[in-house]
Amino acid sequence: MLEARSQLASHIKPGRFGAGDCPSVTLSEVRGRSIVQVAGWPDTFETVSKHLAIAAGGTVPNAFGIASVADTVTVIWTGAERLWFTADDPALMKRFDGVATDEDAMLLDLSDSRTILRLKGEAARSVLIKGIAVDLHTDAFPVQAIAHTMVEHAGVLLHRVGPEAFELYVPRSYSANMWHWLTVSAEEFGYEVKG
C-alpha cells in the first residue's frame, strides 16, 4: 500500500512567526483523517444514511449546516442526498462493508483529494474573515457548523470544531496556495505553526 504524503510537506515550517511575542493563532495540517462521501437517492437516502451512520459509529445530522460528532466519527451533511463521514481511521471505508449496495448509495473515498487545515486561537476568526464570506459570529456559526465557501479561488468546506477552532477541507491541488494565504493573513496577529 502506498503511503500518503502531505501536499504541504515542503511548506510547513514549525515555529512562531509574525507580530508579537505571544501568537494568537495556531496553524496546522490535520493528517491521517479519512473522508468517505456517501451519495444516494431522495426516496431511500434517509433510511440508507441511518444504516451507514450506525455502521460507522455515528448519527446523521439533524439539519444541513451542522455536523454530527460521535466518539470516532463526524458526519457532515454536505448537500442534497450527500454526507461526508470523517474519522482518524485509515480503515473508515471498511466500516461500511455489506451495509449498502451500489443501488442504495455510492461511496467514494475522498481522503487523498482533500487537505485539512486547522486554525485555533483567539485570532482564528479574524484570520478567516479576511477571505471568507461567512458570518463567523458564534450566534450565526456555532460550534459544529459547516459551510461551503470560496477562499483564494478554491471551494472549501469550513467546519467550526471549537469555540475558537476551525478546519478547512481544501482540494489537495489548492493546499499550498491556501497555506500561503493563511500564513500571510495570520502574520499581523502572530501565529505558531505546529508540525
Side-chain angles (χ1 to χ4, degrees), residues 81-104:
E81 288 78 46
R82 185 165 300 159
L83 297 172
W84 280 8
F85 289 83
T86 71
D88 294 330
D89 175 7
L92 176 61
M93 185 68 111
K94 292 185 186 294
R95 296 185 193 184
F96 303 111
D97 286 353
V99 178
T101 67
D102 288 348
E103 283 102 32
D104 295 326

Side-chain angles (χ1 to χ4, degrees), residues 5-17 26-31 115-118 175-180 182-183 191-195:
R5 288 191 301 168
S6 167
Q7 188 79 355
L8 297 176
S10 64
H11 298 275
I12 293 180
K13 307 288 185 224
R16 292 184 173 186
F17 305 92
T26 301
L27 306 176
S28 60
E29 178 185 11
V30 177
R31 295 183 182 155
T115 297
I116 305 168
L117 303 176
R118 180 179 290 143
S175 59
N177 186 44
M178 190 68 62
W179 182 258
H180 176 73
L182 283 173
T183 58
Y191 67 94
E192 182 174 6
V193 174
K194 299 279 188 169

Side-chain angles (χ1 to χ4, degrees), residues 54-71:
I54 290 168
T59 59
V60 176
N62 292 327
F64 181 76
I66 298 291
S68 173
V69 180
D71 287 341

